[in-house]
Amino acid sequence: TEEKPARLLKSPVIEKHTGATGVEPVEAPATPEPKKPAEDKKSKLKLSSNAKVKTVYCDDCKCEIPLDEWPNHRDRLRSVVVVERLSKIQNYIKTLIVDLVMWLLVNVYFRDVAVCGLENVPKTGPVVFYGNHQNQFIDAMVMRAFCGRQVRFIIAEKSVHRPIIGHFARMMDAVPVVRPQDVGSTQGQGKLVSTDGSCVTGEGTNFVTALARGDVISWAVPGKKERCSGQILSIKSDTVLTLTLAVDAEDSVKVPTAFKYSRRIDHSEMYAKVYTTLEQGHCIGIFPEGGSHDRTSLLPLKAGVALFSLGAAERGIVPTIIPCGLTYFYGHKFRSRAHIEFGEPIRPDEATVEGFKEPEHKREKTGEMLAVLDGALRSVTINVNDWATLKFLHAFRRLYQPAGLQLDTKDYLRLTRRLSLIITEHGEEPAFEDFRTKVESYNDYCSALLIRDSQAATLAKLGDSSFQLLARRILMIGIMGVVLFPFFLVALPIGLITHTAAEAHAKTALSASSVKVVAADVKGSYKLVVGFAVVPVVMNVVSLIVYFLSDARTALTIWFSLPMAMYVSLVIMQEFVLEVYAALPLVVSIFSKHKQFRKLHERRQTLVEVAQQMVNTFDPELQTEMANVIGDEDSAAAAAREPSLFSLRHSSRKPELRSFSKSK
């Protein structure tokens, strides 16, 4: 057996011979204890000696290292520590750059972003953010910029290979995923002849040899732009197979129909990265509709968000799931407005997680979890049937909400959703249909007079001071026009290039998609992407022109100051546009002696009364809540907030916004 280290042996007893009397035991002199080496506090190492080989115990590696190899081993450990520290510094700098760029782009593109529900976002721990996807890459930028956490997004694998988007995706350590719509499909042999629930029957098909469990088949449905699809659960024969979900009646196959199929996609690597991120207490962001779109309601959610949320809980990592509602007002236009609302947190309950662990109940529990997530996301988004209905919804809200009353963001969105429910549930009733027809006719009348509904709310102030107001607005337009003219010349090529590129890409995206309406969701993102590349080029060209016309010092001053000057010009341009929109109908009103505008105001007042009646009939609780808010409102403060004649903005004085919650 191997001898123990000398320092662990007790002093042995030896025999001392005393002649004939026998042997007398005598204790031998104690073996000197070897001097212990000084303990390395930095690396927590202890030296041990062996009768054969002297070793050093490494607390980091949890093993004995031969003494002659220790210097090299110690240097390697120090190198690892240095690399780890440099990696942390690199990641910190990278995160700082990404956050700074995101903040700049969001604040330049939008003139206002209102956030509510931020108290629902945990400061620490694993979090899954999921939201609606109506503005392509801008959605992720807005979510990351205002959620208060570092989010690692799940992104389409093909987007990682795009020039600018892919670079930022890698800097954000995004998780790429291959989507079914990005995988090429193959034309199947034979035709599908019928569907019965989840059972699909074919004719002249070779399901056994051509398909496999997990593959996806799709077929065209008469009268629908998008194809119906389903994932294969089992293959019974060459002509019969079953799908994981039953086929809806309107998507069923009634006549022989050609079909296509695509192979099953392996997402195991993606799920592994998600679980690792959540295990480390970080955040994952996903848009479970599967792709961006410009529809006015949510698309069916994909099961991925429910699968990895329950999968993480199954592994002992219970994430907090936060629904994120993104509401845009002309989000594809530059300097538009956006609202972001974080909903109530969701955590998978124990019963659902335990059921998910059982293979026979996994699909059922995933569906239940997905239904919960879908309902939570709908509670923070606005969903109507089409764009015409959305336009009517905003008009309905403006007519119902008093002109001088301002609500906070949360209650503003809540009011809009409550009115959208009235439209969805009672939109086909004769009284409501008549109201909608009158509102749409009123909107057309406003357009003919070059006026918006929010401006029509100010027509009670028509009077003798119109000429003075017009003179003041013309003076303001002239002053701002002089200031903006040189910056307009610089910004003109940027605007033309970004607009042209965005429109061209929208046409391409529309032709390749089955869910987009006019592809408005991609326009804003590509204006940002192209602008991000074009703006530095234009700035450098302007600086070079100044250099050739002047000197290097002036050119350098222009190069440094022009970006900030351009941003200031954007703010002035916003005011310039508002003044122009306010001056045009004022000119028309003066020349027509206000006759048409007085009639318009009377027409609007009638519609306001009808809107009150509609809400009182179909949602009396909302009417009561609004009455309480109006009753608590200070009339003087409300009057101070009323905009001037034909103005599109409220007074610069900002009193405290009213809230439904404060009225209760």
Side-chain angles (χ1 to χ4, degrees), residues 109 135 138 331-333 502 520-529:
Y109 186 81
N135 218 352
I138 292 179
H332 62 287
K333 294 185 177 181
D521 57 303
V522 304
K523 293 180 181 179
S525 295
Y526 271 81
K527 286 177 182 177
L528 272 180
V529 171

Side-chain angles (χ1 to χ4, degrees), residues 404 406 461 472 476 574-575 578-579 637-644 647-657:
Q406 288 183 276
K461 298 183 178 182
R472 183 185 65 81
M476 292 297 297
Q574 179 178 320
E575 299 297 318
L578 292 178
E579 290 292 342
R641 287 199 298 272
E642 289 184 4
S644 59
S647 177
L648 283 168
R649 60 174 178 269
H650 289 275
S651 171
S652 59
R653 288 181 289 179
K654 294 291 184 181
E656 182 183 5
L657 301 181

Side-chain angles (χ1 to χ4, degrees), residues 395-396 398-403 435 439 442 453 457 601-615 623:
F396 187 12
R398 288 192 299 268
L399 291 170
Y400 179 69
Q401 181 179 337
F435 169 62
V439 171
Y442 161 77
D453 175 63
H601 181 62
E602 294 173 359
R603 190 171 179 179
R604 187 182 192 279
Q605 291 303 108
T606 303
L607 289 176
V608 167
E609 295 176 1
V610 178
Q612 299 284 341
Q613 295 173 4
M614 292 295 106
V615 174
Q623 182 71 2

Side-chain angles (χ1 to χ4, degrees), residues 132-143:
N132 55 319
H133 206 11
Q134 293 184 324
N135 218 352
Q136 211 178 31
F137 307 121
I138 292 179
D139 292 332
M141 292 170 51
V142 173
M143 186 185 292

